Amino acid sequence: MFKTGDFVRLKEDPSRGGMITGNTSVSRNRLYWEVMLADGTGTQLFAESKLEANAGRVDPLEELARGRFTDPDRLRRSILHHRLTGRLRDMIYSIDATDTDFHAYQFKPVVKLLASPSQGLLIADEVGLGKTIEAGLVWTELVARFDASRLLVVCPKSLTEKWRLELRQKFSVDARIVDARGLMEALRDDAEGGDGFALIVSLSAVRPPKEWEDDDKSARAALCRHLSDSESNPRALFDCVIFDEAHHLRNRDTLAHTFARAAMGVADFKLLLSATPINLHSEDLRNLLALLDPDTFDSEYAFSILNEENRPLVQARDMVLNQKTPFAELVESLKAIPRGDMLKIERQLDNLQRELRQPGLKDGHDLRVRVAAMLEEMSLLGTIVNRTRRRDVNDLQVKREVDDLRWEMTEREREFYDAVSDVVRQHAFELDASERFLLATPQRLIASSLAAAFAHWSKIPEGYSEDDEGDDDTRKRARGGPLSSKLAELCRSLGNGRALELDDTKYATLRHAIEQHRAKGDDKLIVFSSFRTTLDYLSRRLRSDGFDIEVMHGGIKDDRSAIVARFAERTGACVLLTSEVGGEGLDMQFCRSLINYDLPWNPMKVEQRIGRIDRIGQAAERINILSLVSKDTIEERIYDRLYRRLLTIQETLGAFEAVLGKEIPDLEKRLLDPQLSEDEKEVEIERSAMALITRQKQIEKLEEDAPGLIAHGDMILAQIEANRRPERRIDGAELADYVHEAIAGRYPGSRVSDAPGIEGVFEVVLSESAQLALKRVTAKLGRARTVLNREKATLAAFEKRSGLPKRTEIISSVHPLVRLAASIRDEVAAGASAEPVISVHVPAVLLPDIASGTYIASAARWSVEGAVRIDRLFYGAQALTGRSLAAVDAERLVQVALRQGTHFDPQASLVTIQNGMRRLIENVMEPAFDNFLEEEEARHEDRADTSLARIERQAEKRRRETEAKLYEWKMSGDPKKIKMVSPEQGKLDKLIARLEERKSLLRSARARFSHNNIIVGMLVVELA
């Protein structure tokens, strides 16, 4: 009667079914078929007479009429499966799925990207807030929702190893560092049916050469051509592309921007990471956003129109958030928002106004936050930029203790300092003003270490560059030259510099400071200097004095991450001597104190130093920043007038990394002007400090004008916190049960069982075939990492908890083993449609804020599909007396009933319960679904219309400009211009064709809009 693969169900319990495995058994002349059950409980043998072919959906009302109540565990597993495998709008899968500490604001980019029509996001958080972690959480979410498997990270070369370690240690992703050739090979393998990849490249390794379109030899040119040529392919080459330090891409005329545009054009999801303030009038910002959404931001003309049409939305949002605005005035303001030519939001505004006019609607904080969030999502930048500032983060309020140690030179030291300064000053008269910035290096070196500077100029060969930080151009111009000769001659004239080392006041001050820190319990201390020669000098002196030392700068060959790891793991006292370049991009929040042995003239470099320890993960309530400053020097005046002021105002004005601009280089030139007196130099420092403070205030004002980006993410944060509620969390034991039922049923010999004597820890055992299946899943998840790929048995915990045994693997909801279990259940449930009805008793003490009584509850899965698919699990509940519960309380009631309820026979008649179920469906479930469908359809239609309007306006403007240019060339009579007419016309034709193709795809996606509403299960709950 049946054959392998048929879907069947029980005649007496149609809600229970599964797939025929093909195995049979005969007992007492009765034929039994083995069925892989769709509810995840494995396989069982059923008599053929008890089975029937699965003929479709089961009506829960019919089940109830027959008095058929099923096992609550089946509904619990069914809802869990929907939660694990759906693309649920109100669920964040990356929460508790990685080896990172929970900080709510770090999930804002996840929520924003999922809501972004362009599927692109600029993460512009301030320094130290964990942009790398935010990007990792986004990737985790994409893997969970869309089975993303092809990741590319592009970053500065100095950060490639940091990215590799972060992805491996915190997100269980095995990423490889490759060059242009390696990236091309990975793309070819993927095109031939490969298993996905996670790759990291440095921007310098993939930036194309100037003639990349015609260069046949360069791998970087070939890569850029391949990416550009693939833009029209229906299948993207990358699931996600991440560009770190994206401010390097802000100039659209650079080759770096060219590569970024090519890579973004073939990626489904795009992330840019940069600590960039938000200024809607900035060309740099528009160039970055054009990489994410070229249709909107490529054209300055279109962007200006959209910006104007966006302004009323910003004003309306501000009114909503102002509690003093009367509710009636708020509703009227929405009616006054004009309909835009390009920003199409008519349907969403109509829905919102209709909702706010409902009788009985009460004004309140929650309602206003939700309305503001809806307006932000409609706005231009609400879903394409995320900006979090340090002062807006409650869990990052580390107090900075900024202090200094003034040291006074001896007579010998002052004599050498003044002599070098005089040589530099006299040499300045021989240089043009534009060349004087080169003089900052020797001036700063003597401020760094007199003894090290003397040794350097006396013994180190001419041509050596003192500056550890200078770019290539600076170093080339600084090598050798007359000034080096003059300084070397000065040192020889002063004789042996040994006395400077023996009587080194600054070193003695440092040693005393280290001893004081140790006395306060600071065993780990970071000492920064900009100069290798100073760091090497300090290393030699401190080691000879018995201090434990690690050294890190550009000249050290050891891996920088390994040096930091050694420093972190030291159990005793240790000092890390490092430069800015040596410590760039590395996190050292396990340390709470640092000493600036010398101060760069650029305050941003000091802020970058502090940022190594003042960042997410810093456990100390206070961090200490100590600067060594020499009395009666230009450095002391810079520190007092500029540094102290900026470091003091930072906590009220915010980070100043983006305000410095060319102000500091200009100040540097002015301070090196030999004609300025000391008083005039002090005036210049004061003027620069005031200019920087004023500019920072201007940036703060500009950011406040940007909608939905600064401080108004209440709705998003509320959604994030909602995912942490007990009823939303997936219990570890529940997840372990889900995995066990799937793999034990499909792969005999596989199991998940309690580890003896260890609470919350399980032993996972896989059969040979189960491990092979897991490897296939792992390969398709962007090179996810698990010990089960190598070993068939391991200890595992299905949720993060303290005190776990070493080598315990954390198996979260996005782990490959859970994905394998979900795929098994999907396969066996493909033809089995079950809507179980259960009846349970729940002690009232478990839900004290919900009135006792008998409740009818339901769980439904809603889906809409257009350009993207959106799913939602909705819970409704109503007392038999007719009172409905709020959706959040209905969800709590259902989850508590499934996890802690016990089966019971309902006291009310089946007819009464059946009527209650009908009322629940008619009064709660169906109206809620209609509202959901109306909102999503309006959002879908408006976004499609906005995109079409943008493209049409862009095409119209380009056609008009090109035709005017071609007419001018034709009328000029110039043979060269006339020769250019045909190629230019060809470019226009290609552009128009590409835009027409985009319009066709948008119209097709809009026409494909569809929906589904499936009842997952219904419950009778006795709360008493």
Side-chain angles (χ1 to χ4, degrees):
M1 181 179 178
F2 304 117
K3 63 181 184 297
T4 303
D6 281 352
F7 291 95
V8 296
R9 66 187 184 186
L10 293 178
K11 292 177 181 178
E12 297 300 318
D13 185 1
S15 68
R16 198 173 193 201
M19 184 178 68
I20 295 290
T21 67
N23 298 326
T24 60
S25 175
V26 177
S27 177
R28 296 181 181 180
N29 295 321
R30 297 177 70 185
L31 177 62
Y32 289 79
W33 290 87
E34 185 181 62
V35 179
M36 174 70 72
L37 292 168
D39 62 9
T41 54
T43 59
Q44 286 190 32
L45 289 166
F46 295 95
E48 185 177 74
S49 61
K50 300 288 186 182
L51 298 173
E52 64 182 3
N54 193 352
R57 297 181 61 193
V58 178
D59 186 344
L61 295 178
E62 287 183 12
E63 294 295 285
L64 180 63
R66 297 176 184 179
R68 289 174 174 166
F69 294 102
T70 58
D71 183 354
D73 279 347
R74 292 174 52 200
L75 180 55
R76 178 178 56 78
R77 291 193 187 103
S78 178
I79 290 179
L80 177 58
H81 180 69
H82 283 290
R83 295 177 68 196
L84 291 173
T85 58
R87 299 174 181 181
L88 301 181
R89 186 181 195 127
D90 52 357
M91 185 166 177
I92 302 175
Y93 294 92
S94 46
I95 287 182
D96 294 331
T98 64
D99 193 14
T100 59
D101 295 329
F102 176 79
H103 299 283
Y105 76 88
Q106 290 186 333
F107 291 88
K108 283 173 60 181
V110 172
V111 176
K112 285 202 168 191
L113 182 66
L114 293 176
S116 172
S118 66
Q119 298 185 165
L121 185 71
L122 168 63
I123 301 179
D125 295 0
E126 285 184 347
V127 173
L129 293 179
K131 290 185 287 294
T132 306
I133 290 175
E134 290 174 334
L137 292 171
V138 165
W139 175 246
T140 303
E141 192 75 22
L142 297 181
V143 171
R145 286 181 176 270
F146 310 114
D147 289 331
S149 63
R150 299 166 300 159
L151 171 67
L152 176 66
V153 176
V154 186
C155 61
K157 185 176 181 180
S158 60
L159 299 183
T160 54
E161 181 62 17
K162 180 196 174 187
W163 266 99
R164 190 188 70 80
L165 290 174
E166 291 263 305
L167 288 173
R168 179 180 177 83
Q169 295 169 356
K170 295 178 179 175
F171 303 99
S172 296
V173 175
D174 270 332
R176 293 187 298 122
I177 300 172
V178 298
D179 56 11
R181 197 177 307 279
L183 178 53
M184 273 294 293
E185 290 173 358
L187 291 174
R188 289 193 194 99
D189 290 344
D190 183 67
E192 295 170 2
D195 290 326
F197 53 77
L199 301 175
I200 302 167
V201 296
S202 67
L203 184 58
S204 59
V206 292
R207 184 173 51 229
K210 287 184 179 179
E211 307 297 328
W212 62 273
E213 293 175 290
D214 303 312
D215 190 335
D216 294 328
K217 297 180 180 179
S218 167
R220 290 178 292 131
L223 173 63
C224 199
R225 284 197 303 272
H226 178 68
L227 297 179
S228 298
D229 294 344
S230 300
E231 186 175 1
S232 58
N233 290 355
R235 180 175 181 264
L237 300 186
F238 307 107
D239 293 315
C240 182
V241 170
I242 300 169
F243 277 84
D244 196 4
E245 303 293 341
H247 50 273
H248 295 306
L249 312 174
R250 63 184 180 270
N251 185 345
R252 66 170 56 217
D253 296 325
T254 62
L255 293 166
H257 188 95
T258 298
F259 174 80
R261 180 171 288 253
M264 294 286 190
V266 292
D268 274 338
F269 290 89
K270 293 88 65 177
L271 285 180
L272 298 176
L273 315 184
S274 179
T276 305
I278 306 306
N279 176 0
L280 295 182
H281 307 290
S282 165
E283 183 71 11
D284 288 349
L285 175 64
R286 190 174 68 81
N287 287 341
L288 289 179
L289 297 182
L291 293 172
L292 300 171
D293 185 359
D295 289 341
T296 302
F297 299 100
D298 241 356
S299 167
E300 183 177 0
Y301 168 72
F303 178 55
S304 63
I305 294 175
L306 283 166
N307 215 358
E308 283 301 312
E309 294 181 354
N310 192 61
R311 187 166 287 114
L313 277 176
V314 180
Q315 294 168 349
R317 181 214 60 183
D318 290 342
M319 286 185 67
V320 170
L321 292 172
N322 183 358
Q323 298 294 327
K324 295 180 180 178
T325 305
F327 191 73
E329 185 180 333
L330 187 157
V331 175
E332 288 301 312
S333 72
L334 296 180
K335 289 173 61 177
I337 295 177
R339 277 25 181 178
D341 293 329
M342 294 181 67
L343 190 60
K344 304 293 185 180
I345 53 175
E346 289 88 347
R347 297 171 185 84
Q348 295 173 83
L349 280 174
D350 289 344
N351 284 346
L352 181 56
Q353 290 175 56
R354 192 159 48 248
E355 179 185 347
L356 296 181
R357 287 196 298 267
Q358 287 180 357
L361 187 66
K362 292 183 179 179
D363 187 13
H365 173 75
D366 291 346
L367 175 64
R368 288 184 176 242
V369 166
R370 189 169 69 83
V371 172
M374 294 173 71
L375 291 171
E376 288 169 5
E377 190 171 330
M378 294 180 212
S379 73
L380 177 66
L381 295 177
T383 55
I384 199 169
V385 179
N386 185 83
R387 172 76 166 167
T388 301
R389 301 173 299 187
R390 297 175 67 88
R391 66 178 180 275
D392 298 327
V393 179
N394 292 330
D395 46 0
L396 188 68
Q397 299 298 334
V398 177
K399 181 70 176 176
R400 291 185 178 187
E401 294 179 342
V402 180
D403 205 353
D404 59 80
L405 270 180
R406 310 285 171 131
W407 62 282
E408 190 166 3
M409 298 182 197
T410 64
E411 186 176 342
R412 185 189 299 274
E413 288 173 328
R414 173 61 67 179
E415 178 186 344
F416 179 57
Y417 179 91
D418 290 344
V420 171
S421 299
D422 287 342
V423 170
V424 171
R425 189 178 304 108
Q426 290 302 316
H427 188 73
F429 282 108
E430 303 172 16
L431 299 177
D432 293 335
S434 61
E435 294 282 326
R436 287 175 186 158
F437 74 95
L438 296 173
L439 304 179
T441 297
Q443 192 68 54
R444 286 174 46 225
L445 181 54
I446 55 169
S448 173
S449 171
L450 295 164
F454 188 99
H456 170 71
W457 287 318
S458 299
K459 300 176 182 178
I460 295 179
E462 184 178 344
Y464 182 86
S465 174
E466 305 96 332
D467 190 359
D468 192 30
E469 304 165 301
D471 58 27
D472 291 341
D473 185 58
T474 303
R475 291 186 180 191
K476 288 175 184 176
R477 298 171 73 182
R479 287 173 184 159
L483 181 57
S484 297
S485 301
K486 292 175 183 176
L487 292 171
E489 183 179 344
L490 170 66
C491 292
R492 285 193 293 272
S493 70
L494 294 175
N496 192 334
R498 180 68 177 166
L500 286 173
E501 181 172 330
L502 292 175
D503 195 18
D504 189 340
T505 311
K506 188 175 187 181
Y507 172 75
T509 304
L510 172 68
R511 177 172 173 165
H512 178 67
I514 293 173
E515 290 169 346
Q516 282 189 320
H517 274 85
R518 288 189 176 179
K520 293 187 296 184
D522 287 340
D523 287 337
K524 288 186 171 62
L525 188 65
I526 303 172
V527 176
F528 272 99
S529 171
S530 296
F531 298 93
R532 298 180 189 178
T533 187
T534 299
L535 292 169
D536 292 339
Y537 167 75
L538 292 177
S539 173
R540 176 171 58 82
R541 292 290 309 266
L542 288 171
R543 280 197 172 101
S544 67
D545 287 343
F547 291 90
D548 197 2
I549 301 296
E550 290 283 356
V551 184
M552 184 168 63
H553 58 61
I556 299 292
K557 301 304 180 187
D558 287 3
D559 180 77
R560 297 181 313 139
S561 298
I563 296 173
V564 172
R566 285 200 306 267
F567 178 53
E569 291 167 3
R570 294 290 182 95
T571 55
C574 185
V575 177
L576 174 66
L577 301 172
T578 184
S579 65
E580 289 87 348
V581 171
E584 183 183 17
L586 295 177
D587 301 339
M588 292 179 268
Q589 58 267 45
F590 54 83
C591 189
R592 67 170 296 273
S593 297
L594 68 81
I595 295 177
N596 291 308
Y597 193 71
D598 52 45
L599 289 168
W601 286 8
N602 187 340
M604 187 54 225
K605 293 188 182 296
V606 177
E607 177 58 27
Q608 288 168 346
R609 291 176 175 182
I610 298 170
R612 298 305 97 216
I613 64 172
D614 188 4
R615 58 195 309 109
I616 282 295
Q618 175 56 258
E621 294 181 0
R622 297 172 179 269
I623 60 171
N624 182 260
I625 300 104
L626 183 66
S627 300
L628 271 59
V629 181
S630 176
K631 295 181 180 178
D632 300 324
T633 61
I634 186 67
E635 288 75 21
E636 184 181 40
R637 288 192 288 277
I638 291 174
Y639 181 79
D640 285 338
R641 297 280 183 172
L642 187 62
Y643 276 39
R644 284 193 66 86
R645 185 172 302 177
L646 290 177
L647 290 171
T648 300
I649 68 168
Q650 179 160 11
E651 292 189 7
T652 55
L653 273 185
F656 52 81
E657 72 268 12
V659 310
L660 298 174
K662 59 191 294 291
E663 186 66 42
I664 294 302
D666 288 348
L667 173 62
E668 194 174 88
K669 290 178 185 177
R670 292 193 296 271
L671 293 180
L672 292 167
D673 185 344
Q675 296 180 339
L676 286 184
S677 67
E678 296 304 313
D679 288 343
E680 288 171 330
K681 289 179 182 179
E682 201 159 306
V683 170
E684 289 295 329
I685 296 170
E686 177 68 17
R687 190 197 63 77
S688 292
M690 293 307 300
L692 292 176
I693 293 170
T694 300
R695 187 176 175 199
Q696 179 68 354
K697 289 179 179 177
Q698 291 170 347
I699 287 178
E700 290 287 305
K701 179 64 174 65
L702 289 169
E703 287 199 331
E704 294 297 343
D705 292 337
L709 308 180
I710 308 299
H712 297 306
D714 292 0
M715 187 66 183
I716 292 178
L717 291 174
Q719 181 181 342
I720 293 165
E721 292 295 348
N723 276 264
R724 302 271 290 173
R725 295 201 308 260
E727 67 272 16
R728 284 283 177 89
R729 293 188 68 251
I730 296 176
D731 180 72
E734 187 179 10
L735 191 58
D737 168 71
Y738 175 85
V739 172
H740 170 75
E741 293 293 348
I743 64 171
R746 171 55 64 86
Y747 302 108
S750 302
R751 60 180 170 82
V752 177
S753 56
D754 292 327
I758 314 175
E759 184 181 356
V761 177
F762 299 82
E763 186 179 16
V764 179
V765 178
L766 299 183
S767 66
E768 190 77 38
S769 55
Q771 188 182 52
L772 287 174
L774 179 66
K775 287 180 178 179
R776 287 193 294 270
V777 173
T778 303
K780 291 178 181 178
L781 293 178
R783 297 299 172 186
R785 186 169 59 93
T786 170
V787 71
L788 288 167
N789 279 339
R790 303 186 307 274
E791 302 174 14
K792 294 188 182 69
T794 188
L795 290 179
F798 284 78
E799 59 187 339
K800 290 194 294 185
R801 56 195 305 161
S802 59
L804 291 174
K806 196 174 182 181
R807 290 176 56 80
T808 300
E809 179 151 4
I810 303 296
I811 297 181
S812 69
S813 60
V814 299
H815 190 279
L817 186 62
V818 177
R819 307 311 294 275
L820 174 61
S823 68
I824 293 170
R825 186 181 174 97
D826 274 338
E827 183 181 338
V828 299
S833 179
E835 294 171 346
V837 180
I838 68 170
S839 179
V840 293
H841 170 264
V842 175
V845 69
L846 297 178
L847 294 166
D849 55 334
I850 298 179
S852 299
T854 301
Y855 289 86
I856 305 297
S858 177
R861 176 166 171 168
W862 300 341
S863 300
V864 295
E865 190 155 6
V868 295
R869 174 177 165 174
I870 294 171
D871 294 341
R872 183 178 175 188
L873 269 181
F874 180 80
Y875 302 86
Q878 196 172 51
L880 274 183
T881 56
R883 184 177 57 84
S884 298
L885 296 183
V888 65
D889 289 330
E891 182 178 0
R892 290 170 55 219
L893 178 69
V894 170
Q895 290 296 339
V896 171
L898 292 175
R899 292 172 181 175
Q900 297 174 267
T902 55
H903 176 75
F904 91 116
D905 294 324
Q907 301 300 309
S909 70
L910 293 180
V911 173
T912 301
I913 293 173
Q914 197 172 21
N915 289 335
M917 282 193 174
R918 286 197 178 96
R919 286 196 302 271
L920 174 66
I921 291 172
E922 292 170 3
N923 300 333
V924 177
M925 304 300 290
E926 288 181 353
F929 175 72
D930 290 342
N931 289 337
F932 167 76
L933 183 61
E934 196 172 34
E935 275 188 24
E936 293 302 331
E937 190 167 14
R939 184 181 288 110
H940 172 81
E941 294 280 346
D942 283 349
R943 284 180 173 176
D945 287 349
T946 298
S947 297
L948 286 168
R950 289 196 310 250
I951 292 173
E952 287 169 0
R953 190 64 70 97
Q954 183 181 356
E956 176 191 346
K957 181 173 184 290
R958 186 66 67 89
R959 184 186 288 111
R960 190 168 59 247
E961 290 177 346
T962 303
E963 288 175 351
K965 185 193 299 181
L966 296 180
Y967 178 79
E968 179 188 339
W969 288 355
K970 289 175 183 177
M971 300 302 295
S972 69
D974 186 337
K976 290 184 178 178
K977 290 184 177 179
I978 294 173
K979 189 176 180 180
M980 293 165 60
V981 168
S982 181
E984 192 69 18
Q985 181 68 54
K987 288 182 182 178
L988 175 63
D989 293 342
K990 285 182 179 178
L991 173 66
I992 298 300
R994 192 163 61 247
L995 293 178
E996 286 298 325
E997 183 181 7
R998 288 185 192 172
K999 286 164 62 178
S1000 176
L1001 291 172
L1002 281 168
R1003 292 192 184 103
S1004 175
R1006 183 172 60 181
R1008 285 199 310 270
F1009 186 81
S1010 60
H1011 64 269
N1012 202 1
N1013 179 4
I1014 299 173
I1015 297 292
V1016 178
M1018 300 199 76
L1019 306 84
V1020 180
V1021 182
E1022 183 75 21
L1023 186 63

